[in-house]
Amino acid sequence: MKRKTIVVKTEMMQSPDSWSFREGAWLSAALVLVGIVLEVTGGEGGVPFPSWPMNLVILLLLVVNIVLAGLLLRDNPVVRWLGGIPLGLCLILSIAALSLVGGVLPQTKGAGPLWAGAMGLDSVFSSWPFALTVFFFLVNLGLSLVWKTVPFKVSNLQFVLFHAGFWIALACGLAGATDLQRVIIPLYEGRSTDRAWTPADKTMIGLPFSLYLKDFEMLEYSPRLALYDQTHERFIPHKAGVTDDMRQGLEVSWENVEVKVERYLENAIFKEGQAEPAPAGTKDALPWAYLSGTYEGKSLLGWVSTGSPFIKPSFIGHGDKLIVLLPGSPKKYRSEITVMLDGTEEGRSAALEVNRPLSVKGWNLYQMGYDEKAGRWSELSLVEGVKDPWLPMVYLGFFMILAGNTLFFWKGIRKK
Amino acid sequence: MTWTDFPYVSYSAMICWAGGTLLGLLSARARVLKISGMALMIAGTGIMTVFLVLFWMELDRPPLRTLGETRLWYATLIPLVGFLVEYRWKIAWLKYYCVAMASFFLFINILFPDVYDKTLMPALQSGWFVPHVVVYLVGYVLLAASSLAAWHNLYRRSKSFDELGESLSHYLALLGFVFLTFGLVFGALWAKEAWGHYWTWDPKETWALIAWLVYLGYMHANSAKVDKSLLQWYLALAFFVLLVSWFGVNYLPSAQDSVHTYQTG
């Protein structure tokens, strides 16, 4: 009887010396469970985390503790296990599994059923299970880094660059998230503003500069001919499945409908009383196409145009089908702006374009959008302002990962 | 050359690959068969490469926007991995799996033809576009080849132990992981330029991270000396996660808020 008890005991509580994958899996599962309990009992708040400068203090305390534990308790079996590969692997797979939930379910608050919201399933990446798992992951990664860095060997360089880069990018990205500001600056042509809208907490804030919008301009791709089915409210795809640029002589066909472009004017105005549109270079000019063709054997002839917010589109109708000219999708859009800093009368001219942001006083400005109903006639330009004081640290992490990765690549192709 | 010519081009490539495979498998004793088989294999990939170049010129933009276009690159690149492996490690069997997989992806494109569309939305007009997507595609083909090698190893394992084959799937996974890492970080740097932030948990980003974590897990399982046949299973199955992050993600409920939607038609 006594003997049996001892056996059970050794199975239940193995000495930390032999801790490995099984204990790693238990800890990972426990973290998720505790996280779910905190999520259900904690209410709506999510994971509270302070902003500058307390986030930096917490991060530094974490670093100091990891370094001290790594150096002073190097031979402690629990610490060895905490910084070992088995736990690391379990935590990596646990983060992957949590990301899987966040990658399958829509991540919009209130998007799913209530119970899912209560467990944080609609905001996995700011939930307790994720935060706890990532915290232990940072501890695990940090300990292994301390051991590979002290004492340092050149052969460890790739390991240190990759792992330290990952640690810095992950820790600074998460701890710095509370200092990240993303605002929308609505700009109207001919007006200036120094106010911005914060979507996160629905407030207006003042900016340390003001922006004046001289001009918003947009280039579009070539318009396209399309057949619209009014009964089913849908566009019917062409026979060839080919979308070619509009030009004179272009032939397009659908079932029962064949159309040829007799004339094409890229920019023209059709004045009332005139027989046909006349080419024009003004802003209200539109693309016009003169079509000939057949519809179920009957011939058709006429002008079509895309229309604009001011002019109705022109189309050729037959029964419930319409032959229409659709405006091309946006090719480029840009805002010509003047940036005025405090107190200076004269501003700096600049152009904002997608993929070409501008940096002003710690803010990055991005061409974000425009009035989509007005399209290229929009007089509104939406600019996004982003301030992320932790970005240099995150980028430092990224570049260390890239450097470590390059070394890893050489190692990989050199080995036989 | 456009999608209109695509079926003829891809059937020609597939015929070359099939001929090359046949000659290669029959070539046990005859060197002349082996060489002509290899020539046919390379010709098949050559046809796809020429098509890709002409298609790029015709489109006036990199043909890397739609899923159909990425499948085209995939089908062109994966046989190259097979050829390089034969050149580097003298392993001939991988290329047969590679051309089979390339043909499979060409078939998908024939069955679901893309709309010929020259437009490129402003968000994609960036110097990052080509490096980000090409690095990812190279990573994907290496990991696909790694998975094919792992399936081959698992099949062979029941008969005999093949150490060379097992290190092959490992090194392909290692190189593939390196490319996934480049792709992920390039994507983050580009996202900062285009969308204002390097990481927004967009479904495509999340799935790219999941795939990366899965292979990161493999690298650690390998370091921890996990059982070898378990590792082969891991590599064989991990590729399905990549497939989700490549195109499966578009069909998930989370995709409704994605900014990574570049499909038209």
Side-chain angles (χ1 to χ4, degrees):
Chain A
M1 195 64 198
K2 196 180 175 191
R3 201 186 164 126
K4 200 176 176 187
T5 331
I6 293 167
V7 172
V8 171
K9 215 175 170 187
T10 44
E11 266 181 15
M12 292 290 289
M13 291 181 61
Q14 294 216 357
S15 131
D17 286 313
S18 60
W19 281 9
S20 182
F21 286 108
R22 183 196 302 228
E23 291 73 16
W26 278 118
L27 177 65
S28 306
L31 290 173
V32 172
L33 276 177
V34 170
I36 290 175
V37 171
L38 283 173
E39 216 35 64
V40 173
T41 54
E44 278 292 292
V47 183
F49 200 79
S51 53
W52 185 265
M54 275 315 284
N55 50 1
L56 178 69
V57 173
I58 291 175
L59 206 57
L60 289 177
L61 281 175
L62 180 64
V63 172
V64 168
N65 275 293
I66 289 174
V67 172
L68 288 179
L71 294 180
L72 302 177
L73 304 170
R74 208 169 187 145
D75 299 322
N76 179 302
V78 177
V79 175
R80 283 225 67 84
W81 171 77
L82 262 180
I85 292 183
L87 177 64
L89 178 55
C90 293
L91 291 169
I92 288 171
L93 294 180
S94 181
I95 296 175
L98 288 167
S99 304
L100 186 87
V101 177
V104 172
L105 301 177
Q107 295 297 296
T108 319
K109 270 261 175 226
L114 268 181
W115 59 267
M119 285 167 71
L121 296 181
D122 56 3
S123 51
V124 171
F125 304 109
S126 53
S127 71
W128 277 106
F130 190 76
L132 291 175
T133 308
V134 168
F135 174 78
F136 273 81
F137 180 66
L138 285 173
V139 171
N140 173 267
L141 187 58
L143 285 171
S144 70
L145 252 172
V146 173
W147 296 330
K148 286 274 184 180
T149 317
V150 186
F152 184 74
K153 282 188 278 181
V154 179
S155 57
N156 289 350
L157 184 64
Q158 180 258 322
F159 180 100
V160 171
L161 281 172
F162 196 96
H163 289 74
F166 192 24
W167 200 97
I168 292 171
L170 184 63
C172 293
L174 291 172
T178 42
D179 294 325
L180 174 73
Q181 276 180 286
R182 300 188 75 164
V183 300
I184 298 169
I185 310 163
L187 294 178
Y188 290 90
E189 271 179 353
R191 286 200 265 169
S192 65
T193 185
D194 61 353
R195 313 277 291 163
W197 164 254
T198 320
D201 49 13
K202 299 185 174 60
T203 51
M204 292 295 274
I205 62 160
L207 295 168
F209 52 84
S210 77
L211 301 177
Y212 172 78
L213 179 62
K214 279 187 281 190
D215 186 32
F216 173 78
E217 59 171 3
M218 178 194 269
L219 291 175
E220 286 171 343
Y221 282 102
S222 167
R224 288 178 299 129
L225 282 172
L227 187 65
Y228 185 67
D229 179 346
Q230 292 193 89
T231 317
H232 301 98
E233 296 186 343
R234 65 182 189 107
F235 289 102
I236 300 168
H238 323 152
K239 252 187 188 168
V242 168
T243 314
D244 224 336
D245 284 352
M246 273 300 283
R247 57 183 154 76
Q248 198 166 319
L250 178 72
E251 290 180 39
V252 187
S253 59
W254 297 267
E255 209 155 318
N256 305 329
V257 186
E258 273 172 28
V259 160
K260 185 179 176 193
V261 180
E262 296 291 340
R263 285 179 67 197
Y264 177 57
L265 301 167
E266 217 177 316
N267 291 295
I269 294 177
F270 205 157
K271 286 203 179 118
E272 223 169 298
Q274 282 180 334
E276 57 181 54
T282 48
K283 212 175 173 178
D284 53 349
L286 294 175
W288 284 91
Y290 190 61
L291 308 178
S292 69
T294 54
Y295 179 87
E296 288 180 348
K298 287 178 229 157
S299 68
L300 57 86
L301 207 59
W303 286 95
V304 293
S305 167
T306 57
S308 74
F310 325 104
I311 302 162
K312 277 187 189 161
S314 301
F315 48 82
I316 302 173
H318 265 273
D320 64 342
K321 307 280 197 306
L322 302 177
I323 298 169
V324 297
L325 190 62
L326 295 178
S329 54
K331 188 177 195 173
K332 259 186 195 331
Y333 47 95
R334 55 193 263 148
S335 302
E336 295 285 344
I337 57 168
T338 310
V339 184
M340 282 164 293
L341 304 176
D342 288 339
T344 50
E345 282 297 303
E346 228 171 281
R348 166 158 75 101
S349 287
L352 277 182
E353 230 178 280
V354 181
N355 272 310
R356 285 187 179 75
L358 181 72
S359 185
V360 182
K361 282 203 156 184
W363 286 84
N364 277 342
L365 303 178
Y366 298 84
Q367 176 69 61
M368 182 191 185
Y370 51 90
D371 177 358
E372 290 188 11
K373 275 191 191 139
R376 67 182 158 113
W377 290 274
S378 173
E379 292 181 354
L380 166 72
S381 173
L382 294 174
V383 171
E384 181 174 31
V386 181
K387 193 175 185 179
D388 185 3
W390 291 74
L391 188 69
M393 287 307 286
V394 175
Y395 270 28
L396 173 70
F398 283 169
F399 291 125
M400 287 170 77
I401 293 175
L402 292 181
N405 204 35
T406 310
L407 291 177
F408 201 36
F409 178 72
W410 282 125
K411 240 165 124 179
I413 55 170
R414 267 180 34 228
K415 270 198 185 152
K416 275 261 178 191
Chain B
M1 288 241 174
T2 68
W3 288 121
T4 331
D5 315 295
F6 173 72
Y8 310 107
V9 172
S10 47
Y11 282 131
S12 316
M14 283 189 249
I15 289 168
C16 287
W17 287 332
T21 305
L22 202 66
L23 291 180
L25 292 175
L26 293 173
S27 71
R29 266 150 275 137
R31 197 175 147 72
V32 90
L33 287 182
K34 193 179 173 203
I35 291 173
S36 39
M38 200 62 214
L40 269 179
M41 285 283 206
I42 292 173
T45 302
I47 291 172
M48 290 313 301
T49 312
V50 170
F51 175 75
L52 206 53
V53 170
L54 294 177
F55 187 40
W56 189 327
M57 284 156 67
E58 177 81 31
L59 270 179
D60 277 334
R61 63 166 176 82
L64 287 165
R65 200 198 79 196
T66 65
L67 290 174
E69 287 160 14
T70 57
R71 280 194 288 265
L72 205 57
W73 282 76
Y74 198 80
T76 310
L77 289 174
I78 194 166
L80 279 179
V81 175
F83 304 157
L84 287 173
V85 162
E86 180 161 20
Y87 173 75
R88 180 83 170 78
W89 286 294
K90 309 281 172 261
I91 293 173
W93 49 262
L94 186 72
K95 64 175 184 288
Y96 304 128
Y97 292 91
C98 288
V99 294
M101 187 167 245
S103 307
F104 172 71
F105 281 102
L106 290 180
F107 257 122
I108 297 184
N109 272 9
I110 294 172
L111 290 178
F112 305 99
D114 246 13
V115 177
Y116 172 68
D117 184 353
K118 291 168 96 161
T119 62
L120 191 64
M121 37 290 270
L124 294 183
Q125 295 168 20
S126 160
W128 284 110
F129 182 35
V130 174
H132 169 66
V133 186
V134 169
V135 158
Y136 254 125
L137 284 168
V138 172
Y140 280 16
V141 294
L142 286 166
L143 295 169
S146 157
S147 170
L148 292 171
W151 284 113
H152 175 88
N153 292 334
L154 287 167
Y155 170 70
R156 298 278 306 194
R157 218 165 215 282
S158 49
K159 296 175 183 166
S160 66
F161 178 74
D162 175 11
E163 201 179 341
L164 189 63
E166 304 208 344
S167 31
L168 175 65
S169 59
H170 170 73
Y171 281 115
L172 288 172
L174 188 155
L175 292 175
F177 174 72
V178 165
F179 279 89
L180 279 195
T181 310
F182 277 126
L184 194 68
V185 178
F186 286 0
L189 295 172
W190 183 12
K192 178 72 198 169
E193 292 294 302
W195 297 320
H197 199 46
Y198 51 85
W199 197 264
T200 51
W201 295 109
D202 181 81
K204 192 89 177 176
E205 291 171 7
T206 305
W207 275 95
L209 179 74
I210 296 169
W212 186 77
L213 287 170
V214 165
Y215 281 99
L216 185 72
Y218 166 76
M219 299 310 297
H220 287 84
N222 182 67
S223 305
K225 307 259 182 292
V226 170
D227 175 58
K228 288 224 165 165
S229 81
L230 208 62
L231 287 177
Q232 294 301 315
W233 273 112
Y234 195 126
L235 285 181
L237 295 172
F239 182 62
F240 291 102
V241 180
L242 266 194
L243 286 184
V244 179
S245 90
W246 181 14
F247 47 80
V249 61
N250 293 5
Y251 305 101
L252 295 173
S254 56
Q256 64 194 40
D257 326 308
S258 179
V259 291
H260 282 86
T261 41
Y262 305 123
Q263 209 70 24
T264 50

